[in-house]
């Protein structure tokens, strides 16, 4: 289940607000310039290929491309048996931003997006059916958990603009992780 928790950036021990209501989550995130919505979930087999996943969501992807100018889409998938899972997890646990929007639709599984905005930290647990759009330049980090299990569609204007630019701040180390 999707869940949003807000904290003061100075206090990781006490939440200021929390909800698992998708409408409340979308409204709260919109106040911070973030977009959250849910798409209907396609019935895909676990072994579905990237091409099958993209084909299954083609109408939603096309609409989002028209709305926001994205040019390409791909599929990323990571599972608990991946040999580099610890290294990959660690890479995205540090606060960073990108030169272009970060857009993810969770086909299955879950991940924890954390945003550092306006003196607050927003932690959004995304699950199957969730679409999050993070504007370029937004400070954030991502936790896929110690036993990652997710498949997501990514949309890009230019994939080369998605390179992480790390802030050097240790803030991400202070807040809860996915597990």
């Amino acid at each position: 289940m999707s869940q949003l928790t807000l904290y003061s950036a100075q206090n990781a021990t006490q939440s200021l607000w929390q909800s698992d209501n998708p409408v409340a989550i979308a409204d709260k995130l919109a106040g911070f310039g973030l977009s959250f919505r849910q798409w209907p979930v396609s019935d895909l087999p676990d072994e579905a290929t990237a091409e099958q996943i993209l084909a299954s969501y083609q109408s939603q992807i096309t609409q989002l491309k028209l709305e926001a100018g994205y040019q390409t889409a791909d599929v990323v998938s990571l599972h608990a048996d991946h040999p580099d899972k610890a290294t990959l997890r660690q890479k995205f646990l540090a606060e960073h931003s990108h030169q272009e929007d970060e857009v993810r639709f969770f086909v299955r599984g879950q991940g924890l997006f954390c945003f550092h905005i306006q003196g607050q930290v927003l932690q959004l647990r995304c699950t199957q059916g969730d679409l999050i759009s993070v504007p370029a330049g937004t400070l954030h980090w991502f936790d896929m958990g110690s036993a990652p299990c997710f498949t997501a569609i990514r949309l890009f204007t230019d994939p080369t603009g998605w390179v992480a630019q790390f802030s050097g701040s240790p803030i991400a180390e202070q807040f809860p992780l996915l597990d």
Side-chain angles (χ1 to χ4, degrees):
M1 173 183 322
S2 311
Q3 184 176 49
L4 177 64
T5 306
L6 274 66
Y7 299 90
S8 164
Q10 285 73 43
N11 186 351
T13 62
Q14 184 177 12
S15 68
L16 303 173
W17 186 89
Q18 187 172 44
S19 180
D20 58 9
N21 178 301
V23 174
I25 290 170
D27 288 346
K28 185 64 83 171
L29 290 174
F32 290 91
L34 303 166
S35 175
F36 174 83
R37 60 179 124 164
Q38 294 181 314
W39 284 349
V41 176
S42 294
D43 186 24
L44 291 164
D46 288 345
E47 64 278 356
T49 65
E51 292 78 16
Q52 290 170 321
I53 292 168
L54 291 171
S56 182
Y57 290 98
Q58 190 58 54
S59 65
Q60 293 96 328
I61 292 168
T62 299
Q63 182 62 39
L64 195 55
K65 284 180 175 181
L66 289 172
E67 289 174 14
Y70 301 116
Q71 300 297 310
T72 62
D74 71 6
V75 175
V76 62
S77 190
L78 196 64
H79 298 282
D81 61 353
H82 193 285
D84 296 324
K85 66 183 179 189
T87 302
L88 291 169
R89 181 186 193 196
Q90 197 59 41
K91 177 179 179 181
F92 296 106
L93 282 176
E95 183 182 67
H96 64 278
S97 64
H98 304 282
Q99 291 181 356
E100 81 160 47
D101 296 353
E102 181 168 355
V103 181
R104 299 290 177 272
F105 170 70
F106 282 79
V107 174
R108 63 175 65 92
Q110 67 176 350
L112 182 69
F113 274 96
C114 304
F115 311 100
H116 183 193
I117 305 172
Q118 301 171 13
Q120 295 186 48
V121 170
L122 298 73
Q123 290 194 315
L124 175 63
R125 183 178 64 219
C126 290
T127 58
Q128 184 180 38
D130 290 347
L131 173 70
I132 182 72
S133 179
V134 183
T138 302
L139 291 172
H140 67 284
W141 57 96
F142 177 75
D143 184 18
M144 60 187 77
S146 59
C149 182
F150 71 89
T151 299
I153 295 173
R154 306 183 300 179
L155 287 107
F156 303 96
T157 303
D158 176 7
T160 62
W162 191 74
V163 174
Q165 299 168 337
F166 294 94
S167 71
S169 170
I171 191 167
E173 299 167 12
Q174 302 167 24
F175 287 85
L177 297 174
L178 188 58
D179 56 15

